[in-house]
Short mmCIF file of all heavy atoms in Angstrom, two decimals:
data_model
loop_
_atom_site.label_atom_id
_atom_site.label_comp_id
_atom_site.label_asym_id
_atom_site.label_seq_id
_atom_site.Cartn_x
_atom_site.Cartn_y
_atom_site.Cartn_z
N ALA G 16 89.23 92.30 89.72
CA ALA G 16 89.65 91.10 88.91
C ALA G 16 90.38 90.14 89.76
O ALA G 16 90.14 88.89 89.80
CB ALA G 16 90.53 91.63 87.70
N VAL G 17 91.31 90.71 90.61
CA VAL G 17 92.11 89.84 91.49
C VAL G 17 91.20 89.09 92.51
O VAL G 17 91.31 87.90 92.68
CB VAL G 17 93.16 90.65 92.28
CG1 VAL G 17 93.90 89.79 93.26
CG2 VAL G 17 94.25 91.13 91.25
N ALA G 18 90.26 89.84 93.03
CA ALA G 18 89.31 89.17 93.97
C ALA G 18 88.43 88.14 93.30
O ALA G 18 88.17 87.08 93.87
CB ALA G 18 88.39 90.25 94.55
N ALA G 19 88.02 88.40 92.05
CA ALA G 19 87.13 87.48 91.38
C ALA G 19 87.86 86.25 91.01
O ALA G 19 87.33 85.03 91.04
CB ALA G 19 86.52 88.13 90.13
N PHE G 20 89.14 86.40 90.60
CA PHE G 20 89.93 85.07 90.24
C PHE G 20 90.21 84.28 91.44
O PHE G 20 90.16 83.08 91.45
CB PHE G 20 91.16 85.48 89.55
CG PHE G 20 91.13 85.69 88.02
CD1 PHE G 20 91.14 86.94 87.51
CD2 PHE G 20 90.84 84.68 87.18
CE1 PHE G 20 90.95 87.13 86.08
CE2 PHE G 20 90.58 84.83 85.77
CZ PHE G 20 90.71 86.09 85.23
N TYR G 21 90.40 84.97 92.55
CA TYR G 21 90.64 84.18 93.85
C TYR G 21 89.37 83.39 94.21
O TYR G 21 89.38 82.22 94.54
CB TYR G 21 90.99 85.16 94.91
CG TYR G 21 91.32 84.37 96.26
CD1 TYR G 21 92.62 83.91 96.51
CD2 TYR G 21 90.32 84.10 97.20
CE1 TYR G 21 92.92 83.18 97.68
CE2 TYR G 21 90.60 83.45 98.31
CZ TYR G 21 91.96 82.98 98.59
OH TYR G 21 92.22 82.24 99.70
N GLU G 22 88.18 84.10 94.10
CA GLU G 22 86.95 83.49 94.40
C GLU G 22 86.70 82.32 93.42
O GLU G 22 86.01 81.32 93.86
CB GLU G 22 85.83 84.54 94.20
CG GLU G 22 84.36 83.96 94.61
CD GLU G 22 84.36 83.55 96.07
OE1 GLU G 22 85.02 84.06 96.94
OE2 GLU G 22 83.41 82.71 96.33
N ALA G 23 87.20 82.35 92.22
CA ALA G 23 87.05 81.24 91.29
C ALA G 23 88.05 80.11 91.59
O ALA G 23 87.97 79.07 90.86
CB ALA G 23 87.27 81.78 89.86
N GLY G 24 88.87 80.26 92.60
CA GLY G 24 89.72 79.21 93.01
C GLY G 24 91.23 79.48 92.59
O GLY G 24 92.04 78.63 92.82
N CYS G 25 91.53 80.51 91.91
CA CYS G 25 92.81 80.78 91.39
C CYS G 25 93.73 81.22 92.54
O CYS G 25 93.47 82.09 93.22
CB CYS G 25 92.84 81.95 90.27
SG CYS G 25 94.43 82.33 89.68
N ARG G 26 94.87 80.38 92.56
CA ARG G 26 95.91 80.69 93.63
C ARG G 26 97.20 81.21 92.94
O ARG G 26 98.15 81.38 93.67
CB ARG G 26 96.05 79.52 94.50
CG ARG G 26 94.83 79.14 95.31
CD ARG G 26 94.43 80.29 96.28
NE ARG G 26 93.17 79.99 97.00
CZ ARG G 26 91.94 80.15 96.66
NH1 ARG G 26 91.72 80.85 95.51
NH2 ARG G 26 90.89 79.86 97.44
N TYR G 27 97.26 81.21 91.59
CA TYR G 27 98.49 81.61 90.95
C TYR G 27 98.02 82.42 89.75
O TYR G 27 97.63 81.90 88.67
CB TYR G 27 99.23 80.33 90.44
CG TYR G 27 100.68 80.65 89.90
CD1 TYR G 27 101.31 81.89 89.98
CD2 TYR G 27 101.35 79.66 89.33
CE1 TYR G 27 102.47 82.10 89.46
CE2 TYR G 27 102.63 79.84 88.83
CZ TYR G 27 103.22 81.09 88.97
OH TYR G 27 104.49 81.30 88.43
N LEU G 28 98.13 83.69 89.86
CA LEU G 28 97.80 84.68 88.85
C LEU G 28 98.91 85.46 88.35
O LEU G 28 99.70 85.92 89.16
CB LEU G 28 96.66 85.71 89.54
CG LEU G 28 96.20 86.81 88.57
CD1 LEU G 28 95.32 86.15 87.52
CD2 LEU G 28 95.44 87.76 89.29
N GLN G 29 99.01 85.38 87.03
CA GLN G 29 100.17 86.17 86.39
C GLN G 29 99.72 87.31 85.68
O GLN G 29 98.77 87.36 84.96
CB GLN G 29 100.83 85.14 85.40
CG GLN G 29 102.00 85.76 84.70
CD GLN G 29 102.58 84.81 83.69
OE1 GLN G 29 103.02 83.67 84.06
NE2 GLN G 29 102.70 85.18 82.43
N LEU G 30 100.37 88.50 85.93
CA LEU G 30 100.27 89.73 85.27
C LEU G 30 101.24 90.00 84.24
O LEU G 30 102.44 90.04 84.58
CB LEU G 30 100.11 90.93 86.28
CG LEU G 30 99.16 90.73 87.48
CD1 LEU G 30 99.28 91.90 88.37
CD2 LEU G 30 97.65 90.63 86.85
N ASP G 31 100.85 90.12 82.92
CA ASP G 31 101.82 90.39 81.92
C ASP G 31 101.90 91.92 81.88
O ASP G 31 101.16 92.56 81.19
CB ASP G 31 101.36 89.79 80.59
CG ASP G 31 101.34 88.28 80.56
OD1 ASP G 31 102.18 87.68 81.31
OD2 ASP G 31 100.51 87.62 79.95
N ASP G 32 102.92 92.33 82.57
CA ASP G 32 103.11 93.84 82.71
C ASP G 32 104.27 94.30 81.87
O ASP G 32 105.29 94.87 82.39
CB ASP G 32 103.27 94.19 84.21
CG ASP G 32 102.24 95.19 84.63
OD1 ASP G 32 101.81 96.01 83.87
OD2 ASP G 32 101.94 95.10 85.92
N ILE G 33 104.28 94.02 80.62
CA ILE G 33 105.44 94.05 79.78
C ILE G 33 105.93 95.49 79.55
O ILE G 33 107.06 95.72 79.10
CB ILE G 33 105.19 93.43 78.41
CG1 ILE G 33 104.26 94.20 77.45
CG2 ILE G 33 104.64 91.98 78.56
CD1 ILE G 33 104.23 93.70 76.01
N PHE G 34 105.06 96.55 79.80
CA PHE G 34 105.37 97.90 79.33
C PHE G 34 106.38 98.49 80.33
O PHE G 34 106.93 99.53 80.02
CB PHE G 34 104.09 98.62 79.22
CG PHE G 34 103.21 98.07 78.10
CD1 PHE G 34 102.02 97.38 78.41
CD2 PHE G 34 103.58 98.14 76.85
CE1 PHE G 34 101.31 96.77 77.48
CE2 PHE G 34 102.82 97.51 75.81
CZ PHE G 34 101.65 96.90 76.14
N PHE G 35 106.64 97.91 81.50
CA PHE G 35 107.85 98.31 82.23
C PHE G 35 109.05 98.12 81.32
O PHE G 35 109.95 99.01 81.30
CB PHE G 35 107.98 97.47 83.47
CG PHE G 35 107.04 97.87 84.62
CD1 PHE G 35 105.85 97.24 84.74
CD2 PHE G 35 107.44 98.87 85.51
CE1 PHE G 35 104.97 97.59 85.83
CE2 PHE G 35 106.54 99.25 86.54
CZ PHE G 35 105.37 98.62 86.71
N ALA G 36 109.26 97.01 80.64
CA ALA G 36 110.35 96.74 79.73
C ALA G 36 110.33 97.68 78.58
O ALA G 36 111.45 98.17 78.06
CB ALA G 36 110.36 95.31 79.35
N TYR G 37 109.19 98.08 78.06
CA TYR G 37 109.08 98.96 76.91
C TYR G 37 109.67 100.28 77.34
O TYR G 37 110.32 101.00 76.61
CB TYR G 37 107.64 99.20 76.54
CG TYR G 37 107.09 98.20 75.51
CD1 TYR G 37 107.37 96.88 75.62
CD2 TYR G 37 106.40 98.64 74.36
CE1 TYR G 37 106.74 95.91 74.76
CE2 TYR G 37 105.82 97.71 73.54
CZ TYR G 37 106.07 96.38 73.72
OH TYR G 37 105.53 95.56 72.76
N LEU G 38 109.48 100.74 78.58
CA LEU G 38 109.90 101.98 79.09
C LEU G 38 111.40 102.01 79.36
O LEU G 38 111.94 103.00 79.84
CB LEU G 38 109.12 102.47 80.23
CG LEU G 38 107.67 102.80 79.94
CD1 LEU G 38 106.88 103.00 81.21
CD2 LEU G 38 107.52 104.11 79.02
N CYS G 39 112.17 101.00 79.12
CA CYS G 39 113.50 100.92 79.12
C CYS G 39 114.20 101.22 77.74
O CYS G 39 115.41 101.21 77.58
CB CYS G 39 114.13 99.58 79.53
SG CYS G 39 113.60 99.17 81.27
N ASP G 40 113.33 101.31 76.69
CA ASP G 40 113.75 101.56 75.37
C ASP G 40 113.66 103.02 75.03
O ASP G 40 112.56 103.68 75.18
CB ASP G 40 112.78 100.72 74.42
CG ASP G 40 113.12 101.03 72.98
OD1 ASP G 40 112.84 101.99 72.38
OD2 ASP G 40 113.79 100.08 72.37
N GLU G 41 114.71 103.67 74.57
CA GLU G 41 114.70 105.10 74.29
C GLU G 41 113.70 105.48 73.34
O GLU G 41 113.11 106.58 73.40
CB GLU G 41 116.20 105.58 73.88
CG GLU G 41 116.21 107.05 73.91
CD GLU G 41 115.75 107.85 75.11
OE1 GLU G 41 116.12 107.32 76.29
OE2 GLU G 41 115.05 108.85 74.92
N THR G 42 113.46 104.71 72.24
CA THR G 42 112.45 105.11 71.26
C THR G 42 111.15 105.17 71.86
O THR G 42 110.28 106.10 71.62
CB THR G 42 112.48 104.08 70.08
OG1 THR G 42 113.77 104.07 69.48
CG2 THR G 42 111.42 104.43 69.07
N GLN G 43 110.75 104.17 72.74
CA GLN G 43 109.49 104.15 73.42
C GLN G 43 109.33 105.31 74.42
O GLN G 43 108.24 105.94 74.51
CB GLN G 43 109.28 102.83 74.12
CG GLN G 43 109.17 101.59 73.16
CD GLN G 43 107.87 101.68 72.30
OE1 GLN G 43 106.84 102.10 72.79
NE2 GLN G 43 108.04 101.30 71.03
N ARG G 44 110.42 105.68 75.08
CA ARG G 44 110.43 106.66 76.00
C ARG G 44 110.18 108.06 75.25
O ARG G 44 109.50 108.93 75.78
CB ARG G 44 111.77 106.75 76.81
CG ARG G 44 111.87 105.54 77.73
CD ARG G 44 113.35 105.48 78.26
NE ARG G 44 113.73 106.65 79.20
CZ ARG G 44 113.43 106.66 80.53
NH1 ARG G 44 112.76 105.72 80.97
NH2 ARG G 44 113.68 107.71 81.18
N GLU G 45 110.78 108.18 74.12
CA GLU G 45 110.61 109.45 73.34
C GLU G 45 109.15 109.62 72.93
O GLU G 45 108.57 110.70 72.86
CB GLU G 45 111.59 109.48 72.14
CG GLU G 45 111.57 110.75 71.42
CD GLU G 45 111.77 112.02 72.26
OE1 GLU G 45 112.55 111.99 73.25
OE2 GLU G 45 111.16 113.12 71.88
N LYS G 46 108.56 108.46 72.49
CA LYS G 46 107.19 108.46 72.08
C LYS G 46 106.27 109.05 73.22
O LYS G 46 105.30 109.71 73.01
CB LYS G 46 106.70 107.14 71.54
CG LYS G 46 107.28 106.71 70.24
CD LYS G 46 106.76 105.42 69.79
CE LYS G 46 107.25 104.92 68.45
NZ LYS G 46 106.79 103.62 68.04
N ARG G 47 106.62 108.55 74.47
CA ARG G 47 105.76 109.04 75.57
C ARG G 47 106.08 110.53 75.84
O ARG G 47 105.09 111.23 76.17
CB ARG G 47 106.15 108.17 76.83
CG ARG G 47 105.70 106.76 76.76
CD ARG G 47 104.28 106.67 76.89
NE ARG G 47 103.61 105.67 75.89
CZ ARG G 47 102.35 105.34 75.85
NH1 ARG G 47 101.49 105.90 76.69
NH2 ARG G 47 101.94 104.52 75.01
#
């Protein structure tokens, strides 16, 4: 995906990696 977006001309790609923040929540940690 990263390579394909670069080939398409993308020079600013954002990854919404929100689940790092979820894993700071004790309820979410317990579910895991």
